[in-house]
Amino acid sequence: MNLKQIHIGSLVKTKVEELRIPSGRIMNYLHCTEDEIEGMYLKESMETQKLLKWSKLLQFDFFRIYTGHLILYAPPTRMQNSIKVQESTLTFRKSVYTEEVKMFMLDKIMTGEMTVNEIVKKYKIPRTTLYKWVKKV
């Protein structure tokens, strides 16, 4: 899966085909026509409410694909001493890395394309986390 260029419509269509969901069930759940469903498959992006419904119907978290993209491709943030950071009210789960991100990193290590140190430096993934992934393989 290419996490750099996300075409969510084609990913949804692939999951529908994989699960062999009948179009009648999809039309009833999303309250739309077959032409509208085909139109959604062609869209590169999708309204969050629609994507949430697709996620529930297909029992797959499509938002995690975007999380994986952010982990790999978002620019690193810089904190300045003069800026006071307010404590966030949001809490995140410990495991923020999707299977796609893990497999991407492990593939880079196993093929020798990148070393653990290069991945730590480029993607800011903790070294201990990478070693745990490698150990499980």
Side-chain angles (χ1 to χ4, degrees), residues 3 6 63-73 96 98 101:
L3 290 176
I6 300 169
F63 294 98
R64 297 281 280 193
I65 297 167
Y66 291 105
T67 302
H69 173 88
L70 288 174
I71 290 169
L72 294 175
Y73 301 107
V96 296
T98 63
V101 170

Side-chain angles (χ1 to χ4, degrees), residues 8 65 135:
I8 200 67
I65 297 167
K135 193 175 183 180

Side-chain angles (χ1 to χ4, degrees), residues 26 28 35 39 49 52 58 70 81 86 96 107 118 126-127:
I26 297 169
N28 286 339
D35 289 338
Q49 281 301 110
L52 181 62
L58 302 175
L70 288 174
N81 293 340
Q86 295 179 352
V96 296
D107 184 52
E118 290 171 333
R127 177 174 283 131

Side-chain angles (χ1 to χ4, degrees), residues 42-81:
L42 299 174
K43 290 187 177 182
E44 189 173 339
S45 62
M46 195 177 294
E47 182 184 315
T48 54
Q49 281 301 110
K50 285 282 185 206
L51 190 58
L52 181 62
K53 285 185 177 189
W54 278 112
S55 293
K56 288 177 181 179
L57 176 66
L58 302 175
Q59 297 178 349
F60 183 83
D61 187 359
F62 289 101
F63 294 98
R64 297 281 280 193
I65 297 167
Y66 291 105
T67 302
H69 173 88
L70 288 174
I71 290 169
L72 294 175
Y73 301 107
T77 58
R78 292 185 181 176
M79 303 275 293
Q80 294 179 356
N81 293 340

Side-chain angles (χ1 to χ4, degrees), residues 1-4 6 8 11 60-73 93-107 125-126 129-130 133 136-137:
M1 177 186 302
N2 182 3
L3 290 176
K4 194 164 192 167
I6 300 169
I8 200 67
L11 296 173
F60 183 83
D61 187 359
F62 289 101
F63 294 98
R64 297 281 280 193
I65 297 167
Y66 291 105
T67 302
H69 173 88
L70 288 174
I71 290 169
L72 294 175
Y73 301 107
R93 286 191 284 172
K94 187 175 180 180
S95 178
V96 296
Y97 304 106
T98 63
E99 281 302 312
E100 290 84 6
V101 170
K102 290 178 187 178
M103 295 312 295
F104 176 80
M105 295 299 162
L106 288 172
D107 184 52
I125 295 177
T129 302
L130 284 172
W133 295 348
K136 288 181 181 179
V137 173

Side-chain angles (χ1 to χ4, degrees), residues 6-58:
I6 300 169
H7 189 289
I8 200 67
S10 65
L11 296 173
V12 168
K13 183 178 182 175
T14 302
K15 194 67 176 173
V16 167
E17 290 170 351
E18 179 184 309
L19 296 174
R20 297 184 178 137
I21 306 282
S23 59
R25 181 173 174 209
I26 297 169
M27 290 186 297
N28 286 339
Y29 188 80
L30 297 178
H31 305 291
C32 60
T33 66
E34 196 161 351
D35 289 338
E36 290 171 324
I37 292 169
E38 289 298 324
M40 286 185 237
Y41 293 157
L42 299 174
K43 290 187 177 182
E44 189 173 339
S45 62
M46 195 177 294
E47 182 184 315
T48 54
Q49 281 301 110
K50 285 282 185 206
L51 190 58
L52 181 62
K53 285 185 177 189
W54 278 112
S55 293
K56 288 177 181 179
L57 176 66
L58 302 175

